[in-house]
Amino acid sequence: MTEDIFPESDDDGCEPFRSIAAHVHCSEDDVFAAFAGLPVPEWITPTHLQSVRAATQRWNEAARHARNLQHTLMRLTDHERVQLRVAGAVTVEQIAHLQSVLDGDAKNLNEWLTSQPRAGRENIAAAAVAEGIRRLFRRRRKRITFGQHPEGGPSTEFGRAVEFSIGAFGVLADWRRPAQKAKEKQDDIQGRLMSIHMAAINRTKG
């Protein structure tokens, strides 16, 4: 019942991955592997999340009205409910089923919303794309660096890949902050790995 919120792709849904693979000069499978486990960027844009919140509110409101109608019908006498049934009106059981379906859909949407990363002031869709590119570069042993030309465009291969990929997924966001945060994450990972390596060397010497 939520096809309009999560529509099927017009193609096989893989075009962003193919475009990124061509841009980075790697295989489509490499891109798939890098993005595995990450949220679908198109589904976590601020606009889409707002649409899901609005839909959840509508389903909850409809379920509340169905529940109230069910309770009201239950206050009728048995004879009055039979008269409604003879007239072809919906039954109490049908209203109860409607309420159950509405409650279930609202619950599913709410659970999906709560499972998504918290946005805050960050565009989480762009952040997810940058994380996928960070993983792709790490897997391919390519340098993860951040730099910007005076006119504003990315000056590094990693930055250009992030900018391109954000556009490939149709996400409306600037490339700079997502690329910078992804680069800082990689620096942190490298720092921790170096600390572990140095600790192992010191233990060997000791």
Side-chain angles (χ1 to χ4, degrees):
M1 292 190 179
T2 56
E3 290 84 359
D4 57 327
I5 305 174
F6 300 101
E8 293 185 4
S9 176
D10 293 334
D11 49 35
D12 60 2
C14 300
E15 187 55 38
F17 300 103
R18 279 192 286 268
S19 297
I20 294 169
H23 180 83
V24 180
H25 305 294
C26 67
S27 73
E28 190 176 330
D29 288 341
D30 287 338
V31 182
F32 270 119
F35 278 82
L38 291 175
V40 179
E42 302 97 314
W43 289 359
I44 56 173
T45 63
T47 300
H48 186 260
L49 290 175
Q50 182 57 42
S51 296
V52 177
R53 292 189 192 97
T56 305
Q57 184 176 2
R58 291 194 299 271
W59 285 105
N60 276 319
E61 184 178 3
R64 176 171 56 81
H65 286 303
R67 191 178 305 109
N68 291 339
L69 177 57
Q70 180 189 358
H71 291 163
T72 300
L73 291 175
M74 288 300 295
R75 290 199 292 270
L76 298 176
T77 66
D78 290 344
H79 177 68
E80 288 168 335
R81 289 198 292 272
V82 168
Q83 286 182 310
L84 289 175
R85 189 178 302 114
V86 171
V90 294
T91 65
V92 174
E93 292 76 18
Q94 287 172 323
I95 295 298
H97 177 64
L98 172 63
Q99 181 231 314
S100 176
V101 172
L102 291 167
D103 274 336
D105 278 9
K107 179 182 178 182
N108 289 339
L109 286 173
N110 190 63
E111 288 178 348
W112 183 87
L113 277 172
T114 56
S115 71
Q116 303 310 306
R118 296 294 178 183
R121 298 177 63 183
E122 179 184 35
N123 188 314
I124 56 176
V129 174
E131 170 62 11
I133 298 303
R134 184 194 69 80
R135 295 180 182 183
L136 179 63
F137 269 55
R138 183 192 62 191
R139 289 168 180 265
R140 293 181 55 77
R141 301 184 182 279
K142 297 169 74 73
R143 294 186 65 200
I144 299 173
T145 54
F146 176 84
Q148 181 178 336
H149 289 300
E151 63 272 18
S155 61
T156 69
E157 184 181 4
F158 177 71
R160 287 190 290 273
V162 170
E163 181 183 46
F164 175 88
S165 302
I166 288 174
F169 280 105
V171 176
L172 300 177
D174 188 73
W175 67 275
R176 287 172 292 187
R177 186 58 182 154
Q180 187 174 23
K181 289 193 69 174
K183 188 262 185 187
E184 290 170 353
K185 178 176 180 177
Q186 185 61 31
D187 288 345
D188 182 61
I189 292 173
Q190 288 299 119
R192 284 186 278 117
L193 290 175
M194 182 59 69
S195 296
I196 294 172
H197 178 67
M198 294 304 298
I201 292 176
N202 291 335
R203 283 196 301 271
T204 302
K205 291 181 178 178

